[in-house]
Amino acid sequence: MKKLCIPIFIVLSTLFLCPVFAGGGQEVPEGPVSLNWYAHASTLDNTQEMIIKTFNEEYPDISVNLIELPENTTDKLQALLIALQSGDDSIDFFNADVTWTPIFASAGLIENLDKAFPSSERKAFLPGTIAAASYNGSIWGIPFRTDAGVLFYRKDLLEKYNKPVPETWDELFATADEIIQAEEKAGSEEMYALVGSMKQYEGLTCNAVEWFYSNGGEVIDKKGNIVINSPENVEILELMRTAYEKGLFPEGALSYGSGDARASMFQNRQVFMRAWPKAYALGQNPENSMVSGLLGVAELPRGESGKRGHSTLGGWQLFLNRHSKNKEAALKFMNFYAGEYAMKLHALNDSYLPARRSLYDDADILKKNPFFGMITGVLENAVPRPQSPFYAEISSVIQVEVQNALRGEKSPAQALYDAEKEMNKIGQ
């Protein structure tokens, strides 16, 4: 098995030079087939390699080269779009974010899977994962993992100060502020209330969408109207800006990606963290985490004007490159990777949320990740990000204007007014 790690600047600068991105004109090889799978970086226990090894026992004539994409979701998207738009046939299949379906499908860059992934097989998957893989009445991806933002909290600190898990964002900041002051008086290092992915990339969009919907707001309504500039959204953004100004977020939080947010929590600097469920497994390693065994998981809070908290629906699926010359072999692995064996292994090793319904009743998974018992409720109330061929542009506008508000460069009202104005221009 061949494993490559390609930094984004190398990918973008060598797309038309490196043999990996050679493009069309190659003959279909005879005999054994070698597939190139563009995927996430290696997981905790090298789960992908374990799955490939098991697959090879059943299909010894199909080898799979795992090629690691950049960690940043935006960088993944840019690298893949450039490669596939050039007609590259060396990428056989790849991991795709739930927001990418209309982007790749509308551009004709991926294979339609209506026949390869029939409706009879889709019934075993969570509805949200199938909806995210669909566009214009067709299915384009095979889901292997779903996701939803959750609230991590320090169980030991809440128990020490007899505090319940907060139900609203206001309660969260008040609870954390009280605990932080008490801990600092006792001689503890400086701590913060909340951390999340807040730099200008896709992670900030996810956090912001959760804030808006949890306060009764929306971004795009059911009729397709841009409604990000609403009183509910202004209210919750004002709350977050005030918390940032008070120092309740870590210094430099607006440059934090997912890894930075986890590091702050694992270094005993946080009371609360918004993160994806995979942080649970990462936080249990005492060699890398000072809070091993101390993390609780709950649904995200609601805003004062909201009825309940909402998570942003995340997740990943496999897309088949339309230009691949090994489609039949690629589909064999794609179906294997989206099967119960592979999803269960990822759940046990990496606390990834399975896309298949059946695994949420699996005793082994629930023993290893007890919080999976409450995740189905989170997923049922998760909100999708807007499905649009122009999603990347829409997300970019949200990131820029939310940061403008948090930094104090604009009022929340002005930032959201400007965001709505810019979003209405996109695609027109």
Side-chain angles (χ1 to χ4, degrees):
M1 180 186 70
K2 176 183 176 185
K3 178 181 173 184
L4 301 175
C5 182
I6 305 178
I8 185 63
F9 68 90
I10 295 178
V11 170
L12 294 177
S13 63
T14 61
L15 284 176
F16 304 102
L17 300 176
C18 178
V20 171
F21 291 94
Q26 300 177 5
E27 295 182 1
V28 180
E30 297 181 1
V33 175
S34 179
L35 300 173
N36 289 326
W37 171 26
Y38 281 62
H40 295 90
S42 295
T43 47
L44 279 177
D45 296 309
N46 294 320
T47 310
Q48 295 104 313
E49 287 87 345
M50 296 170 64
I51 295 168
I52 291 172
K53 182 179 178 181
T54 304
F55 174 79
N56 287 149
E57 293 173 359
E58 185 173 349
Y59 299 99
D61 289 335
I62 302 176
S63 62
V64 181
N65 302 318
L66 178 62
I67 302 173
E68 296 179 0
L69 286 164
E71 181 179 359
N72 188 306
T73 302
T74 303
D75 292 342
K76 285 185 177 76
L77 175 61
Q78 291 174 345
L80 289 164
L81 279 174
I82 291 173
L84 268 63
Q85 286 169 347
S86 74
D88 191 333
D89 62 10
S90 67
I91 301 174
D92 292 299
F93 60 100
F94 58 96
N95 290 8
D97 185 82
V98 291
T99 64
W100 296 358
T101 307
I103 298 174
F104 284 88
S106 65
L109 299 176
I110 54 177
E111 193 72 20
N112 181 300
L113 301 180
D114 285 341
K115 294 182 180 179
F117 186 35
S119 57
S120 58
E121 295 181 16
R122 298 174 214 164
K123 294 177 182 178
F125 293 75
L126 293 168
T129 67
I130 297 300
S134 303
Y135 179 69
N136 277 353
S138 289
I139 192 84
W140 300 90
I142 302 179
F144 64 88
R145 170 184 165 194
T146 190
D147 234 340
V150 291
L151 181 71
F152 287 83
Y153 61 92
R154 286 285 299 276
K155 292 189 296 184
D156 57 325
L157 293 178
L158 266 60
E159 291 172 2
K160 180 178 179 179
Y161 294 100
N162 195 30
K163 296 292 184 181
V165 177
E167 295 184 359
T168 70
W169 290 109
D170 285 286
E171 290 173 5
L172 182 148
F173 289 120
T175 295
D177 196 27
E178 186 176 334
I179 290 174
I180 289 168
Q181 292 187 41
E183 286 292 294
E184 289 180 353
K185 286 181 181 178
S188 297
E189 292 187 21
E190 187 175 21
M191 296 186 70
Y192 302 95
L194 180 65
V195 70
S197 306
M198 297 176 65
K199 76 175 182 179
Q200 191 177 316
Y201 83 122
E202 188 61 23
L204 178 55
T205 300
C206 294
N207 279 256
V209 168
E210 289 166 350
W211 298 342
F212 298 152
Y213 280 83
S214 295
N215 200 47
E218 294 179 281
V219 176
I220 299 179
D221 66 19
K222 295 180 180 178
K223 296 181 179 179
N225 300 309
I226 308 294
V227 292
I228 193 172
N229 182 28
S230 67
E232 294 83 4
N233 291 352
V234 171
E235 179 183 60
I236 194 68
L237 192 52
E238 285 177 342
L239 174 67
M240 296 300 170
R241 173 178 172 170
T242 299
Y244 180 75
E245 290 175 341
K246 289 182 176 180
L248 294 175
F249 289 95
E251 185 177 352
L254 298 188
S255 64
Y256 278 21
S258 296
D260 305 301
R262 293 192 299 265
S264 188
M265 172 60 92
F266 297 167
Q267 291 166 8
N268 192 29
R269 305 300 299 276
Q270 296 294 149
V271 182
F272 298 102
M273 171 178 68
R274 183 273 178 206
W276 303 106
K278 76 173 186 178
Y280 186 81
L282 295 170
Q284 301 312 308
N285 184 352
E287 294 183 4
N288 301 318
S289 172
M290 298 172 63
V291 296
S292 174
L294 302 179
L295 295 178
V297 183
E299 295 186 28
L300 291 169
R302 62 175 175 84
E304 290 298 317
S305 297
K307 295 181 179 180
R308 63 164 300 143
H310 290 281
S311 299
T312 297
L313 183 66
W316 293 86
Q317 55 198 318
L318 294 174
F319 283 168
L320 178 61
N321 181 5
R322 186 170 65 86
H323 298 290
S324 169
K325 299 204 174 162
N326 304 302
K327 292 177 183 177
E328 183 177 348
L331 282 167
K332 288 183 185 297
F333 182 81
M334 290 167 65
N335 280 301
F336 185 84
Y337 193 66
E340 287 195 353
Y341 162 77
M343 285 193 203
K344 180 171 180 175
L345 198 61
H346 268 308
L348 293 174
N349 289 353
D350 311 306
S351 64
Y352 285 179
L353 298 181
R356 288 181 174 270
R357 301 170 183 263
S358 59
L359 293 174
Y360 288 89
D361 295 322
D362 186 279
D364 296 329
I365 293 176
L366 291 173
K367 181 179 180 180
K368 186 74 177 288
N369 302 301
F371 72 92
F372 272 35
M374 53 79 77
I375 283 293
T376 51
V378 173
L379 293 171
E380 288 172 1
N381 291 285
V383 293
R385 285 160 281 173
Q387 268 210 335
S388 168
F390 308 104
Y391 175 77
E393 293 85 350
I394 291 172
S395 179
S396 180
V397 170
I398 294 173
Q399 297 160 29
V400 169
E401 294 302 343
V402 168
Q403 276 218 348
N404 282 339
L406 295 173
R407 292 184 190 279
E409 296 174 1
K410 295 181 181 179
S411 68
Q414 184 64 50
L416 294 182
Y417 173 84
D418 291 344
E420 186 165 308
K421 183 178 179 180
E422 287 302 311
M423 289 169 67
N424 274 314
K425 295 179 183 178
I426 293 172
Q428 296 181 0

